C-alpha cells in the first residue's frame, strides 16, 4: 500500500513538473516571410533571431510555430508575431511589444525598362490589378469604390509568378521579402522587377500576447526588458547587420521602434 502511494505521489510530482515546463514555453504563431520569418532559415530569420535573443536575455523560452497568415488572423486565442494592424480587428491582446520594423513597396515587371511609373497618390493605381498576400488587405470595399482592384494570393512566390506572367499589373510587398523571393525565383531577372517607393512610414513587427494567455502581463514585461538588454549590448544591431547592406540600419530605426512601443503600451494601459 505504501509503495503504491509513493509511486502515485512521484507520478503526480513528475506530471506537475512537466506541465510547468510546458507552460514556461511561450508559443508564438508566425507566417512564412523570409528573410524576416522562415523555418528554412537559421534561427527562423531576422525576427526569429531577435525573439530568441531577447527571450534568452530575460529568461523566457519562446517557440515560433509557422502557420498561414489567414489561419493566424482567424484564431482569436493565440499569440502572434506580425503587424498588429492585421490582427487587432479580430482579436484583443493583453500586450503588444514591437520588436522590429519593415517597409512596403510597389513592384511591377518591365523587361524592356521603358516604363517610369511613380506613385504619388491612390489615383495612380486606378484600373490596375494589384496582388497582395491573403490576409493583409483589411478593407477592400473602399479601394473597389476607387477603381483599384486587388487579388489575394496565399504565398509571396505566387504573387511574383503572376506578376511576371502578366496576370497582375503590380504587387505590394515588404522590401526584404520581395528581394528574398526574387533571388529564389528569378535571380537573373531581378532588375526587371521595378521597385516603386510608396512613401509610406515604417510598419511594426510585434509580439502579441493573447488576452487569455496565462501571466501575459508579466511575460510582456520580461519581453520588454529582454529587448532593452539586447539593444543596449549591441546584440540587436548585430542581428540586423546580417541582413541589411553594409551592416547599416534604415535611418531613425530605433526612434521609430520606440514610437510604436509607446503607442501600443499606451493602448495597453
Amino acid at each position: 500500500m505504501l509503495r503504491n502511494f509513493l509511486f502515485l505521489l512521484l507520478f503526480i510530482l513528475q506530471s506537475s513538473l512537466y506541465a510547468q515546463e510546458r507552460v514556461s514555453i511561450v508559443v508564438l504563431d508566425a507566417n512564412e516571410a523570409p528573410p524576416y520569418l522562415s523555418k528554412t532559415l537559421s534561427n527562423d530569420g531576422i525576427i526569429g533571431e531577435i525573439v530568441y535573443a531577447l527571450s534568452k536575455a530575460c529568461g523566457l523560452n519562446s517557440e515560433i510555430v509557422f502557420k498561414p497568415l489567414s489561419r493566424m488572423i482567424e484564431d482569436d486565442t493565440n499569440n502572434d508575431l506580425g503587424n498588429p494592424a492585421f490582427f487587432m480587428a479580430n482579436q484583443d491582446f493583453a500586450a503588444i511589444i514591437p520588436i522590429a520594423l519593415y517597409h512596403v513597396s510597389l513592384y511591377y515587371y518591365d523587361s524592356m525598362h521603358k516604363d517610369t511609373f511613380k506613385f504619388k497618390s491612390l489615383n495612380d493605381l486606378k484600373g490596375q490589378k494589384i496582388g497582395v498576400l491573403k490576409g493583409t488587405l483589411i478593407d477592400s470595399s473602399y479601394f473597389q469604390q476607387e477603381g483599384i482592384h486587388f487579388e489575394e494570393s496565399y504565398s509571396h512566390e505566387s504573387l511574383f509568378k503572376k506578376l511576371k506572367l502578366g496576370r497582375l499589373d503590380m504587387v505590394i510587398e515588404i522590401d526584404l521579402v520581395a528581394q528574398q523571393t526574387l533571388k529564389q525565383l528569378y535571380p537573373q531577372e531581378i532588375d526587371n522587377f521595378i521597385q516603386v517607393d510608396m512613401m509610406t512610414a515604417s510598419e511594426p513587427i510585434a509580439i502579441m500576447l493573447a488576452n487569455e494567455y496565462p501571466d501575459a502581463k508579466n511575460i510582456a514585461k520580461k519581453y520588454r526588458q529582454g529587448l532593452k538588454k539586447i539593444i543596449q549590448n549591441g546584440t540587436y544591431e548585430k542581428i540586423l547587420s546580417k541582413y541589411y547592406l553594409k551592416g547599416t540600419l534604415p535611418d531613425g530605426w530605433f526612434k521609430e521602434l520606440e514610437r510604436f512601443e509607446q503607442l501600443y503600451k499606451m493602448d495597453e494601459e
Side-chain angles (χ1 to χ4, degrees):
M1 181 68 71
L2 181 60
R3 179 182 296 178
N4 290 340
F5 175 76
L6 291 174
F7 177 80
L8 179 61
L9 181 61
L10 179 61
F11 176 78
I12 292 173
L13 287 172
Q14 287 177 332
S15 298
S16 176
L17 288 171
Y18 177 75
Q20 290 176 17
E21 182 181 348
R22 293 301 300 167
V23 170
S24 68
I25 299 176
V26 184
V27 177
L28 305 170
D29 289 349
N31 175 60
E32 283 277 346
Y36 288 94
L37 282 159
S38 179
K39 59 186 175 184
T40 64
L41 296 175
S42 174
N43 291 316
D44 295 333
I46 302 174
I47 304 304
E49 289 200 45
I50 293 172
V51 167
Y52 298 137
L54 69 85
S55 297
K56 183 178 180 181
C58 69
L60 288 174
N61 188 1
S62 301
E63 178 183 352
I64 297 175
V65 175
F66 288 92
K67 297 179 180 180
L69 182 60
S70 56
R71 278 180 55 196
M72 291 170 59
I73 294 172
E74 290 167 3
D75 187 347
D76 60 3
T77 61
N78 63 330
N79 301 324
D80 292 300
L81 265 176
N83 185 340
F86 300 148
F87 303 90
M88 292 177 69
N90 192 56
Q91 183 176 355
D92 292 326
F93 294 99
I96 296 176
I97 307 101
I99 61 172
L101 306 171
Y102 71 90
H103 295 80
V104 173
S105 291
L106 273 169
Y107 294 84
Y108 65 91
Y109 182 77
D110 181 14
S111 59
M112 303 301 292
H113 295 261
K114 291 183 178 180
D115 200 346
T116 56
F117 176 84
K118 294 185 182 299
F119 177 79
K120 295 180 180 178
S121 70
L122 287 177
N123 287 330
D124 298 325
L125 302 182
K126 285 186 176 181
Q128 305 283 349
K129 183 184 286 187
I130 302 171
V132 294
L133 188 68
K134 187 170 180 61
T136 59
L137 187 61
I138 298 172
D139 183 9
S140 61
S141 59
Y142 169 78
F143 295 103
Q144 288 175 352
Q145 292 173 3
E146 295 296 317
I148 302 170
H149 306 286
F150 286 95
E151 181 175 319
E152 296 183 307
S153 291
Y154 282 96
S155 72
H156 307 282
E157 292 80 7
S158 175
L159 287 172
F160 284 100
K161 286 178 180 179
K162 290 178 182 179
L163 183 61
K164 186 176 186 299
L165 291 172
R167 292 171 56 187
L168 293 173
D169 297 311
M170 295 182 179
V171 163
I172 295 178
E173 186 57 280
I174 299 170
D175 293 355
L176 289 184
V177 174
Q179 293 174 25
Q180 182 83 8
T181 304
L182 291 173
K183 283 179 183 177
Q184 292 177 346
L185 291 178
Y186 308 112
Q188 306 302 321
E189 284 200 76
I190 291 179
D191 291 341
N192 294 337
F193 291 86
I194 313 300
Q195 179 179 347
V196 180
D197 184 10
M198 296 183 69
M199 298 177 291
T200 55
S202 303
E203 293 289 339
I205 299 174
I207 296 172
M208 292 163 274
L209 299 176
N211 257 343
E212 302 83 356
Y213 200 75
D215 204 23
K217 295 289 187 182
N218 187 46
I219 292 172
K221 183 179 179 181
K222 289 183 178 181
Y223 272 141
R224 290 188 175 105
Q225 291 171 345
L227 179 61
K228 185 177 181 180
K229 284 182 181 178
I230 65 170
I231 290 175
Q232 290 178 341
N233 65 24
T235 300
Y236 186 96
E237 192 164 356
K238 185 177 179 181
I239 291 171
L240 290 184
S241 68
K242 300 178 186 178
Y243 301 90
Y244 283 89
L245 295 177
K246 299 179 182 178
T248 59
L249 300 180
D251 292 339
W253 180 284
F254 292 105
K255 185 177 179 180
E256 191 71 355
L257 190 61
E258 175 65 19
R259 183 178 73 84
F260 281 117
E261 165 63 20
Q262 294 301 321
L263 175 66
Y264 285 112
K265 198 170 183 181
M266 190 182 302
D267 288 343
E268 182 182 326
E269 292 172 350

